[in-house]
Amino acid sequence: MRSSGPAVHDALIAYLRAAPAVAALVGARVYDRVPQGVTFPYVALGLSRTDRFRVQGADGCSLFCEINAWTRATSGGKHDAETLRAVLEDALDDAALTVSGHKFQGCWVEGGTVDRMGDGLTVRVSINLRIDTLVPI
């Protein structure tokens, strides 16, 4: 069975870069690998885990993903992080992703956090998603 992980990865980056409300806050700064010297705020893909399943003879994947957003006190801090969390949650909950080579079943936000880092300036938003796909028969 083919994992949908790489295709979901590509779909998330494309979707977030195209989402008007997200772009209004971070522009096109949605990354897999964050470049050095990036301007805050930005979004980066984080940890992911895949659970495989079979339903009615079709193979499927539940991909559990973490989407992280980063901001700094100099660019708005925790208040802006809370705003960014709300925008990401609204954009991603029930999002209609285009997942190449797989039949997309759904995308759901399972929760999120906002946490100030040890430097006292950097604030991280973490959104937890579940994305289900099936491999076409």
Side-chain angles (χ1 to χ4, degrees):
M1 178 186 123
R2 294 178 297 149
S3 170
S4 61
V8 166
H9 174 276
D10 294 343
L12 280 169
I13 289 175
Y15 183 84
L16 288 169
R17 284 182 177 163
V22 175
L25 296 176
V26 301
R29 294 184 306 275
V30 178
Y31 306 107
D32 171 15
R33 181 180 296 191
V34 179
Q36 283 191 317
V38 68
T39 302
F40 288 88
Y42 65 88
V43 175
L45 300 188
L47 178 71
S48 65
R49 184 187 94 233
T50 302
D51 290 347
R52 297 177 179 202
F53 61 86
R54 183 171 290 231
V55 59
Q56 299 176 350
D59 290 329
C61 289
S62 290
L63 189 69
F64 299 89
C65 303
E66 182 180 83
I67 305 295
N68 294 308
W70 300 87
T71 189
R72 281 252 165 109
T74 56
S75 64
K78 195 158 186 213
H79 179 270
D80 281 2
E82 293 287 357
T83 300
L84 188 51
R85 179 180 70 167
V87 166
L88 287 168
E89 287 177 346
D90 288 348
L92 289 165
D93 198 39
D94 287 327
L97 302 177
T98 301
V99 182
S100 178
H102 298 267
K103 185 176 178 189
F104 175 74
Q105 297 294 294
C107 176
W108 304 278
V109 171
E110 294 195 328
T113 60
V114 172
D115 187 27
R116 188 175 306 279
M117 301 289 96
D119 66 4
L121 296 174
T122 307
V123 182
R124 179 184 66 157
V125 173
S126 182
I127 306 294
N128 298 303
L129 302 176
R130 176 182 173 171
I131 300 166
D132 287 352
T133 61
L134 295 174
V135 177
I137 298 173

